[in-house]
Amino acid sequence: MKKIALILVILLSFQSYSQEIKSYTWDEKPTFKEIPEEYKNQPAVVLLDKRWIHTRVGGYAFATFGMNHFAIKINKAEEINKYNKIKAQDNGYIRDVRDFHARVIKPNGEIKILPQEKIIETTEDKVKSIVFEGVEAGDILEYYFIIKENPMSYGVEVFQKEIPVLFAEFTHTQEGVKFETFASSEFQKSGSNSKTILTASNIPPYKEEQNARNIKNLVKLIYMVSTSGMDIYNWSTFLPKYLSKPSFQYFKKNQAREFIQNLNIGTESTEEKLIKIDEYIKTNFDFIGKGETAQKVTNLNSGKQKLTGGDVFDLYGFTLKELKIPYKVVVGMSRFNGEVDTEKFVVPLSHEFMYYIIETEKFFSPYEKYLCYGYPMYEVQGSKGRTYYPAIKENYEITFPIAPAEFTVNESQSTVSLSEDLATATIDKTYSHTGYDGQLYRNWVKYIKENEDEKKLAEYIQKRMFGDDFDVKISNYEIENQEFKYNYTNTPYTIKVKAEAKESLTENAGNLVLVNLGKMIGKQANLYQETERKWDVDLNYAKTFKHKIIFDIPKGYEVESFKDLVIDKKMGGDESKNCSFKSTAKVEGNQLIVEVFEIYKSINYPKETYQEYRNVINASSDFTKASVVLRPKK
């Protein structure tokens, strides 16, 4: 009898929550949190953002009910059109809109309910929508809708907006499923296993900043829904199952074994074997593009082939296993988007899968076409991930290594000569790239050559060499070390050009002539306007810049001054992690030699040190405006 009573209580509670969400309504006379002084000048303020998801699965019950309740105060009239159009939809799989109500609350407290006939339903996708009419500055727009749809196994709820949110709430109830949430730290959790409520207050406006983890820092909530006994996403379950055996779709195991034999791997060292495997796969296999259909493969060694990403990944693993090279599978995540959960694979987040070679402590990155065997993809540097060691069927935590600034070096040399009338300049420039930049540019130019025309390539080279605000005409260019094989030795990817400046580099100041040599290093970012920083500075990767400018001093002239070309800015603190910009200049015979050394030794600069970092960034921009001053010889 006790068991029966317990079952009845559970069933009643399920029915109660199901009925509760379906009969949800707003308060007849609502009260909202008072707007703090700091937000009163905002163009609009979200007073309430309340969401509720109820999922039921089992027997004939297979549905999700969703409720969205939203209220926003419009402070400035120009913001009205941004917020007065509402669609009753969620996840894009609407089955039924159960309820849809909207009203306007005037500053004097008067409430105007929008009539149901104002709700419009599209004939194509059956989405219902409503437009608030007659809205004025100072009005509060409030609406809620309840929908019934097919259950989603996961979702992402973003609560942060470009305007403040005073109160956010997410509720989930469920029948016959397990409902898990992964929320930003701003949320507080309460309730029970059958009804959980997460709330957050005073969410500040979203501020996107350059070189910041903008997506990761968004105030959001991720949820996953699974049925009883189907929780397969714990790392200890997911990784062994995912990696138990290769699931080749377009070729068979015997073809993969033939592929390995035909690579003619024999007595080479492990390092040489790994390079040979990686180079062949990266050079000869491409991924199936959107809209393309994969074809069955008859011979994996027959040259260019297109495969699914999964087949390419599994081919790496199968080859390592056949050659008895110990490895681990590594799962990471772009540090700009989020963090790998310590317990499980969180489905809505984009994870990155790689192989870690135990003997060499290097990585295979099958899904990254540009990246060779060596360092991991730059997005995961310094972050934590999970590894799975198939040999002993255990998984561990890993911290991804950070490539030093000496790995990625961008180096240029420009020789500049002026015409006799000083009106035009001839430029011979060589620009070389190693490390991540070298691999990215090598891959990008390859793509342009295979998919675009010559004009597109010329435009890319001009922008890469001189920036997009320096008007030059390139008469000739050549590219060296284009093949993928040069990635393994970190051989510089080099572009050489001959060009003529279509705009004058010179400016007269009385009997003096100013020559803007700083432009030779290309366009540089600046942070003049961004005086404050909300988030830490997170760079893609540590890197080094080296520039050399050789200026032929025109006949009949000598150098009056080059002081503007000499800059020295350096961040304090840990010498191994700081950044700096230093330029020097000297006259040698009839030439002025200018050298620039700029380095970013870390991928992270805390916001507390932002002003020092900002000074270094602005120094590079200041240099592009610097000139040498010439005077006629006496």
Side-chain angles (χ1 to χ4, degrees), residues 298-332:
T298 56
N299 182 358
L300 285 166
N301 301 91
S302 64
K304 298 290 184 180
Q305 311 256 12
K306 282 200 171 185
L307 296 171
T308 64
D311 272 356
V312 172
F313 184 86
D314 285 347
L315 182 58
Y316 272 96
F318 184 79
T319 304
L320 292 171
K321 190 173 181 180
E322 289 288 302
L323 294 174
K324 295 181 171 54
I325 298 174
Y327 68 91
K328 296 178 183 178
V329 174
V330 183
V331 185

Side-chain angles (χ1 to χ4, degrees), residues 9 27 57 90 92 97 149 179 186 216 228 236 283 344 346 428 430 496 512 550-551 592 603 630 633:
V9 169
D27 294 334
V57 174
D90 194 16
V97 177
E149 61 181 352
F179 200 109
E186 288 82 357
K216 176 183 178 295
S228 180
S236 57
T283 303
K344 61 174 51 186
V346 180
D428 288 319
T430 300
K496 296 180 177 181
L512 301 178
I550 302 171
F551 174 61
L592 174 68
I603 60 172
L630 304 177
K633 286 183 178 179

